[in-house]
Amino acid sequence: MNADLIVDAKGLSCPMPIVRAKKGIDSLQSGQVMQLEATDKGSVNDFQGWIKQTGNEMLKMEEDNGVYRFFVKKA
Amino acid sequence: MAVKEMTSKELHARIDAGDSVFILDVRNPNDFEDWKIEGKTLRQVNIPYFDFLEEDEAVYNQLPKETEIVVVCAKGGSAQMVAEQLDEKGYSTSVLEGGMLSWSQFYHPVTVSTGEDMKLIQLNRLAKGCLSYMVISGGEALVVDANRHIEEYMALAKRENVKIAHIIDTHLHADHISGGAALAQETGATYYLSSSEMQGSTALPYEPLEQHETLKIGSVNAKVLAVPTPGHTPGSTSVLIDDRFLLSGDTIFVGGLGRPDLGGKAREWAQSLYDTVFKTVAALSDDVLVLPTHFADIKEINENGYVGATLGAIRASNEVMRNEDREAFTEKVAGASGATPPNFEEIVGINRGEIQVTAEQATDLEIGPNRCAVHHS
């Protein structure tokens, strides 16, 4: 999947993955896609909560060897 | 102003003293609904930390300016961020150091009874609803249902100036990881558990509890009886002390009975529970103080600060303890048991010594509330 922006939040713990995600999404135009990578397990639930709250769209979520990858389309 | 750190112990002391405490829990609403800090005089709101990232002033409407706000999250990081943000806006804030993780590892000891021959202390692990006990007599201690943070028991023994000599698990726990075997190893005490609970596993050294009807603690003869009370599990055993205190494990709670369904044989185990209630326990007097291994509701903490109730009071408030109809009893206790404790199969394996986990994995497995009681009113 092609992303307009890749945000690396690997190795960061809560709340930093969401703080980075928020900054990333703010820099995009409506319809653009952000790819975020994180390793903090606790962020997975929080990320879904944040997406719901902000009205953006989660296109895809995958886990690969302890790395969680989220694709989010800006509303 | 600066953001202060508050330990779990300090937070508990405030709640316990009846101080007005305002908690802002910034975890995900799902996590909050599932498991949160409880207290009789607590005011609490849940606003997830990511809501504070938006520039929306509305999130502040629910927060008091006149009271200190204790900000809580899973491990402390998000709470720190939110607390700093609130601090800048002029709120008085502190952060629960280590978050719910630290809260889940906080134990509060309360003396239930103290006399010439014997002292009985209840250790309340509030976040998990787990209770354990130290019975002291003649310079020695018996620990019942130790949780995995064994340093709590060792520190208590040190403060009381006693040697831990005996450790009993009333049954194989399914909701939390036992500290029994580790505490025995660390202190040289003997670890007892009913052998039927181990189902042949020899991974852990233990002394079959069923071969020790009485235990002697120290030089003084506090009467300690191991009473088989099967039902929650086949090998569940209660500890009767001086004919006055029944450490009932997960057999009888202040609010009802232990669930018999965690072994996949609910109806069969319910029969054992019936016999336990209407034969074994029926023989005990109404004055016996029941001290269980769990509580389901903060309201079960009585005016003396511990969880416990006389058998008479429990019989009076639980219809299931009075109706001797075996069929109705079985339907009631085997029927409505609700969600199983998170990760219970793995926890059982660990408590049998068959699975080894790191401290971090143990923490993850134990997270969340307790679910061992049958919720029936």
Side-chain angles (χ1 to χ4, degrees):
Chain A
M1 187 174 288
N2 286 328
D4 300 290
L5 174 71
I6 296 178
V7 177
D8 180 8
K10 293 196 291 292
L12 298 176
S13 62
C14 187
M16 288 320 290
I18 307 288
V19 173
R20 291 270 173 97
K22 150 89 177 152
K23 273 193 188 142
I25 264 302
D26 282 354
S27 73
L28 293 182
Q29 305 291 324
S30 176
Q32 285 188 306
V33 173
M34 172 179 74
Q35 173 184 340
L36 182 124
E37 297 186 345
T39 48
D40 181 36
K41 216 168 114 192
S43 301
V44 177
N45 268 337
D46 293 354
F47 202 75
Q48 284 163 355
W50 173 73
I51 297 279
K52 216 166 112 188
Q53 189 73 16
T54 51
N56 297 307
E57 186 189 349
M58 178 88 83
L59 297 176
K60 198 168 127 190
M61 189 174 79
E62 55 192 29
E63 199 228 315
D64 178 15
N65 236 336
V67 176
Y68 300 91
R69 204 169 289 127
F70 307 94
F71 294 88
V72 185
K73 187 168 152 190
K74 181 162 177 168
Chain B
M1 281 197 292
V3 173
K4 296 184 283 282
E5 288 218 312
M6 190 182 281
T7 61
S8 293
K9 192 176 174 174
E10 286 163 347
L11 176 59
H12 175 260
R14 287 218 201 169
I15 297 172
D16 208 31
D19 291 0
S20 102
V21 175
F22 190 95
I23 291 183
L24 167 62
D25 191 318
V26 297
R27 291 175 301 151
N28 231 313
N30 294 343
D31 295 336
F32 176 77
E33 279 312 314
D34 197 35
W35 182 49
K36 58 177 176 282
I37 294 175
E38 294 184 50
K40 287 173 184 167
T41 58
L42 213 59
R43 283 189 297 155
Q44 179 156 240
V45 291
N46 171 227
I47 306 172
Y49 65 92
F50 40 80
D51 282 8
F52 289 90
L53 296 175
E54 310 298 323
E55 270 133 46
D56 180 3
E57 293 297 318
V59 294
Y60 297 98
N61 291 345
Q62 303 172 59
L63 303 175
K65 277 252 170 175
E66 72 288 357
T67 315
E68 179 180 351
I69 299 170
V70 184
V71 191
V72 174
C73 69
K75 292 178 180 169
S78 306
Q80 182 71 32
M81 179 191 81
V82 172
E84 281 168 12
Q85 209 167 315
L86 290 176
D87 184 65
E88 277 169 29
K89 290 193 178 282
Y91 291 90
S92 161
T93 57
S94 58
V95 169
L96 176 65
E97 198 184 316
M100 291 302 281
L101 176 60
S102 144
W103 182 247
S104 78
Q105 299 175 2
F106 169 67
Y107 295 64
H108 178 58
V110 183
T111 300
V112 175
S113 169
T114 179
E116 234 170 79
D117 288 353
M118 196 265 294
K119 185 172 185 180
L120 175 56
I121 299 169
Q122 179 180 72
L123 290 100
N124 189 338
R125 185 178 175 195
L126 280 116
K128 287 290 295 172
C130 284
L131 306 164
S132 49
Y133 297 89
M134 188 176 280
V135 185
I136 294 170
S137 187
E140 282 192 354
L142 156 72
V143 176
V144 177
D145 287 334
N147 281 214
R148 72 187 170 88
H149 304 96
I150 59 171
E151 59 283 357
E152 296 288 333
Y153 305 93
M154 290 163 69
L156 181 60
K158 202 171 171 190
R159 288 202 296 276
E160 295 289 335
N161 198 21
V162 293
K163 181 182 181 302
I164 297 175
H166 308 279
I167 299 160
I168 292 177
D169 266 334
T170 54
H171 62 289
L172 191 75
H173 300 289
D175 65 296
H176 66 273
I177 295 171
S178 169
L183 185 59
Q185 198 174 15
E186 206 59 44
T187 59
T190 310
Y191 174 51
Y192 306 84
L193 177 71
S194 175
S195 55
S196 61
E197 301 288 272
M198 284 302 201
Q199 292 184 359
S201 170
T202 52
L204 284 180
Y206 71 97
E207 188 61 28
L209 183 54
E210 68 276 12
Q211 291 172 18
H212 299 267
E213 199 196 333
T214 61
L215 277 187
K216 196 175 168 192
I217 311 171
S219 52
V220 185
N221 267 324
K223 193 171 155 198
V224 178
L225 291 180
V227 186
T229 48
H232 175 61
T233 63
S236 278
T237 306
S238 297
V239 182
L240 182 64
I241 298 160
D242 272 350
D243 293 322
R244 288 191 293 152
F245 305 101
L246 186 72
L247 310 189
S248 59
D250 284 11
T251 300
I252 306 175
F253 300 110
V254 169
L257 295 174
R259 54 193 292 179
D261 64 313
L262 294 178
K265 296 175 185 165
R267 299 188 73 85
E268 193 181 313
W269 290 12
Q271 299 310 306
S272 305
L273 189 58
Y274 178 89
D275 292 332
T276 288
V277 170
F278 292 105
K279 291 178 183 161
T280 312
V281 175
L284 298 175
S285 124
D286 270 352
D287 301 334
V288 169
L289 186 66
V290 174
L291 298 162
T293 289
H294 294 297
F295 61 96
D297 192 309
I298 200 89
K299 294 191 192 82
E300 292 175 36
I301 298 177
N302 64 24
E303 67 276 16
N304 301 309
Y306 61 84
V307 175
T310 62
L311 204 41
I314 294 175
R315 283 178 179 134
S317 60
N318 288 282
E319 199 267 336
V320 73
M321 298 274 289
R322 297 194 303 271
N323 182 358
E324 290 191 40
D325 184 312
R326 188 182 275 271
E327 204 39 50
F329 178 92
T330 306
E331 280 310 312
K332 190 142 197 177
V333 302
S337 295
T340 52
N343 311 311
F344 81 98
E345 281 160 331
E346 206 166 349
I347 289 177
V348 162
I350 295 166
N351 287 340
R352 248 185 216 131
E354 293 164 346
I355 303 173
Q356 314 293 326
V357 288
T358 64
E360 195 185 338
Q361 288 168 319
T363 301
D364 278 351
L365 286 168
E366 278 193 339
I367 225 80
N370 171 266
R371 294 200 176 95
C372 269
V374 178
H375 291 276
H376 50 70
S377 48

